[in-house]
Amino acid sequence: MAIVGIVPAAGSGERLGTDGPKAFAACAGRPLLEWSLDVLETVCDRVVVAVPAGYEHGADRVRGAASRSASVREALRAAPEATVAVVHDAARPLVSRVLVQRCLDMLAAGGCDAAVAASPMSDTVKEAGNDGTVVRTLPRAGLWSVQTPQVFDAAALHRALGVDDAVLAAATDDSSLVEAAGGVVRLVEAPPENLKVTNTVDLALAEALLGDRELRAAPRG
Ligand code: CTP
Ligand code: MG
């Protein structure tokens, strides 16, 4: 069995608004991407990163593509030995080894093609029209907000990604593509700190939480 980490890191980070790509922006003293790599490298046999053009230095770096899932497809293509794929966004630096392992264990238990980190919705969720008029309030019970890590049977992910670029571009995660291909997806409840860095507020929060984590991990004395 080969467990391969697949890290989409090829986005531009428009909403964060830093000079370069988001995955390489500084977060608590190092490039954002490196926090996730530290964790994935402890559980995966190899980690392939999809990076923006011009960042393909070193082994296991492939050029990403126009959409997030197309970048995942490029990275997966570079890892034909994978039997299990651990897909994790570079934008979630607070991922933990425990969370990845819980997803791996869920997949290994059988009966599903993917095990994905998720949190139960805590806000009331409404559907609204373009003018902001509410159409309906959705019953919140059973609604989850889905994150990464997402752990897949690699063959199932490979099949799911074998669709048109337009379908990949419309997908907001990879597990929905596996569902569309008839696969079974299970949720693993994630801790609240597994946030995604999208804007500057998220970055400030991630830096505070990572700083706190480093302090707790540092040897006393
Ligand atoms: N990503 C990617 N290839 C793309 C687009 C996104 O690999 N064509 C990656 C990003 O680098 C990020 C993850 O997918 O790690 C989640 O995307 P998002 O948070 O939207 O990041 P960006 O696309 O970089 O940000 P923005 O949408 O604000 O431009
Ligand atoms: Mg994006």
Side-chain angles (χ1 to χ4, degrees):
M1 187 173 89
I3 301 176
V4 176
I6 300 288
V7 179
S12 58
E14 215 169 292
R15 288 168 291 179
L16 183 62
T18 45
D19 277 347
K22 180 164 77 181
F24 297 87
C27 176
R30 59 209 293 241
L32 182 64
L33 166 68
E34 288 186 13
W35 293 102
S36 297
L37 290 182
D38 274 359
V39 170
L40 292 186
E41 279 164 1
T42 66
V43 270
C44 299
D45 298 305
R46 183 155 87 94
V47 182
V48 181
V49 186
V51 293
Y55 286 78
E56 310 94 327
H57 324 294
D60 293 334
R61 299 289 181 271
V62 300
R63 187 188 288 210
S67 69
R68 185 194 163 283
S69 286
S71 293
V72 169
R73 182 171 64 187
E74 291 309 311
L76 188 64
R77 275 189 185 143
E81 80 279 20
T83 53
V84 170
V86 178
V87 178
H88 180 67
D89 287 344
R92 289 191 191 268
L94 282 137
V95 63
S96 67
R97 186 194 160 106
V98 170
L99 180 58
V100 177
Q101 193 58 55
R102 287 179 58 210
C103 294
L104 285 166
D105 291 346
M106 173 77 87
L107 184 74
C112 65
D113 303 286
V116 309
S119 291
M121 297 290 302
S122 55
D123 291 329
T124 296
V125 184
K126 294 184 191 291
E127 184 185 336
N130 288 338
D131 68 350
T133 305
V134 170
V135 177
R136 65 177 66 87
T137 300
L138 303 173
R140 195 171 60 196
L143 290 185
W144 292 71
S145 120
V146 170
Q147 312 164 359
T148 66
Q150 300 197 348
V151 172
F152 298 90
D153 169 79
L157 179 61
H158 186 77
R159 277 194 301 277
L161 291 169
V163 291
D164 287 351
D165 286 351
V167 177
L168 291 186
T172 52
D173 80 336
D174 309 300
S175 67
S176 54
L177 295 166
V178 167
E179 288 159 51
V184 175
V185 176
R186 291 236 164 91
L187 303 179
V188 173
E189 188 162 353
E193 72 264 21
N194 188 39
L195 58 85
K196 181 156 87 90
V197 174
T198 301
N199 53 46
T200 52
V201 174
D202 303 324
L203 182 61
L205 198 51
E207 291 194 309
L209 292 167
L210 287 163
D212 187 48
R213 185 197 259 184
E214 293 291 283
L215 265 184
R216 279 186 279 123
R220 292 168 199 276

